[in-house]
Amino acid sequence: MLLSSLVAQASPLSEQQVQQLQGLVSQLNPIQQAWVSGYLAASAQLAGGQATAPAAAATTSATLTIVYGSQTGNARHVAEALAALANAKNIAAKVVDLADYKSSQLKNEQYLIIVTSTYGEGEPPENAVSFYNFLFSKKAPQLPQLKFAVLGLGDTSYEFFCKTAADFDERLAELGGQRLQARADLDVDYDTAASSWNHALIKVVEPEFAATPSAQVINWPGQAAAVSQSQYNKQQPFAAELYTNQKITGRDSGKDVRHIEISLQGSGLTYQPGDALGLYFNNDPALVNELLSLTSLEGAAQVSLANQSLSLSEALTEQLELTQSYPAFAEKYAAASANQALQQLAADKTALRAYLADRQIIDIVRDHPAAAGAMTAQQLVDALRKQQPRLYSIASSQAEVEDEVHLTVAVVRYDAFGQPHLGGASGYLAERLAEGDKVRVFIEQNNNFRLPANDDTPVIMIGPGTGIAPFRAFLQERDARGASGKNWLFFGNPHFTQDFLYQTELQGYLKQGLLSKLDVAFSRDHAEKVYVQDKLRKHAAEVYQWLQQGAHLYICGDANRMAKDVHQALLDIVQQNGSKNAEQAQQYLDELRLAKRYQKDVY
C-alpha cells in the first residue's frame, strides 16, 4: 500500500530511490513495515521537517494514542496488540512508552488509551512516574475534548491490585475526559481478557475513525531500538540448553546464588544490556505428587486447559502455578472442596491476605486437604492460574558472550510451617535442571534501562546482591565497545568472604581501569551495618560532581527497601551539595529521570 501510494501521488523520490525502497520493504514483515512508516513520520514531526503527503494526512487526522506503563513488558505487548488491531481496521494509531510521552501533548489528544501495570504499594511503574506526577499536579489541563480508556494489568496477590490504572481512570474523568469504555483490571493470566477488551474498544472507536486516511502504527523513536528478528517470543519460547550452573556464594553464606549460562545457539535471539530473560519452568514432581495425594485425585485424570486436553499430572507439572499463592485460588479451592473453614477465611479479605503472605499453594492445601470425591480434577485445574514466566535481568553482553545469555539467580529457599520451601523457577534452575537439559526462554526488552548512547558519558551503577546482574552486562558491553566514559559501581551484600559476587571479574576491571571506582558495603562484617546508601553518602560530594558532569545513574535490586533508601540518600546528596531544598532536590532527580539519566530495574 505504501509504494502504490507513492507512485499514485507522483513521489518526490527518484526512480533509483524507489527501487531501493522497494528492495527494503520486500525484506520486512508487515509489523516492521508499519514501524518504519511510523518512524519516518514521527522523525519528520520531531525534527520540524516536512513529511510526505500520506504522513502529513495521517498526522493531521485523529489518532488513537496508546500509551503504556510497564515494569516487565506485559503492558507494552498489550498496547502493541491493540495498535495492530487498529491498523487492521485502518485506524491511525501510535504506541508511546510513557517515559517518552510529552505531557504537554495531553491537552491536544482526542483519543487516549492507557495500558498500565501497578508497582510496589500501588505506585506507577517506573516509566510512568513522570506522567503520573504531571497528571496529579496543578499543571494538568482540563480535558473536555478527550475520549479515553484505561486497561490495568496486575496481580491479585498484591493488596493494591491495579491501583495505578484506577488512579489514571478516575483522574482523566475528573479532568473532563469521557470514557470510551469501562476500565478492566486484569490478573496475571490476562491474555484472553486483554484481547477481548482490545477488540471491544476497537468496535467502539471504529465508527469515529471511518473517515481517517491510511493508518499507521508508530513506535516513537528510541522505543524499539533493537527488535529481535527471532521467531521465538513469550508465546513461543526457545528450548535452550543449560551450559553452566555454578554456585557463586561461599559454603557458609546464608544465600545460595547461582551463575547460570544458557545457550541461545540457533535461536536468532538477540538482546541488549538491560534486557531480561523470560524463563518457563517445570514444577517439582514431588510437589505435584503431594498435591495429588492431598486432593485425593489421580494424575492420569484428563483435564482441559487452554483448549487442549492433557493429564492432570502434565497440567500441574508444566502449565500451572503451584508456588506463588493468591486470593482467587483460596476462594475457588474452598468452594470446590466445600471446605467451610477455608470459606470463612476467604470471606475476610484482610485475614486471607495475611494468611497467604508466607504460604505457597501447597501450604493452603496442606492446611485444608480435600476428602476423596470432594472435588474433581477439572475443578482443581480451574482453581489454579496459568504459570507466568519469571524474568531475570541479563548478566551478560552479547558483544562478549555471543550466542549465550548469563543470569545471576538467588535461589529462594526457606523453612516455614514445619516444611522446607523452594522457589519455582530458582529451584528448577538450581536443583532440577541438569547441565545439557533444555529450558524454555525468551527475551524481554527493557528500553528504559539502557547504557548512554555516548560512550564518553560517565555511569554510576548501584546494584547490591543479585542487582549486580545488569551491571556485569554493562561493564562487558563498555569493555567491548572501548567506551572511555568513567564507571563507578556500588555493590553490597552481607559478607566479604562469602557473598562478593563476581569478585575476581570486578577486581580485574578495576585493575585494567574499566571500573574507575568500586565501593562495596558488606553489612554484616562490622558492628554497625553498612549498606550501599551509606557508601553513597560517604562519597556525596563526588557523586554529585559526577551527576553535574552528566553521569547516568542506575539502580537495580530490591524495590521495597533498598531502592527507596538509595533514592532518599540521593535526595540528601543533592540537597547538601547542590544547595537545594527538599522540593528542588526532588525536581532535580525528576529531571534526571525525564532525561533518562536516572533509571531503575527493581523488583
Side-chain angles (χ1 to χ4, degrees), residues 486-518:
K486 298 183 295 182
N487 301 294
W488 188 352
L489 174 65
F490 290 84
F491 172 76
N493 238 348
H495 299 287
F496 171 83
T497 58
Q498 302 294 320
D499 306 306
F500 196 165
L501 308 182
Y502 302 114
Q503 177 184 357
T504 302
E505 290 182 24
L506 296 177
Q507 290 177 333
Y509 284 142
L510 192 63
K511 184 177 181 180
Q512 78 178 61
L514 179 69
L515 258 179
S516 310
K517 294 178 69 67
L518 173 62

Side-chain angles (χ1 to χ4, degrees), residues 323-386:
T323 48
Q324 295 179 346
S325 63
Y326 45 96
F329 171 76
E331 294 165 0
K332 292 178 181 179
Y333 175 74
S337 63
N339 188 296
Q340 293 185 357
L342 188 55
Q343 287 175 353
Q344 290 176 355
L345 178 61
D348 185 335
K349 302 300 183 184
T350 302
L352 178 61
R353 195 170 298 281
Y355 171 78
L356 296 177
D358 297 320
R359 285 176 168 83
Q360 295 183 339
I361 295 292
I362 193 65
D363 294 311
I364 302 171
V365 182
R366 282 170 180 158
D367 289 346
H368 306 279
M375 66 186 299
T376 67
Q378 189 63 51
Q379 284 177 315
L380 177 61
V381 167
D382 293 342
L384 293 164
R385 67 187 182 191
K386 187 178 179 181

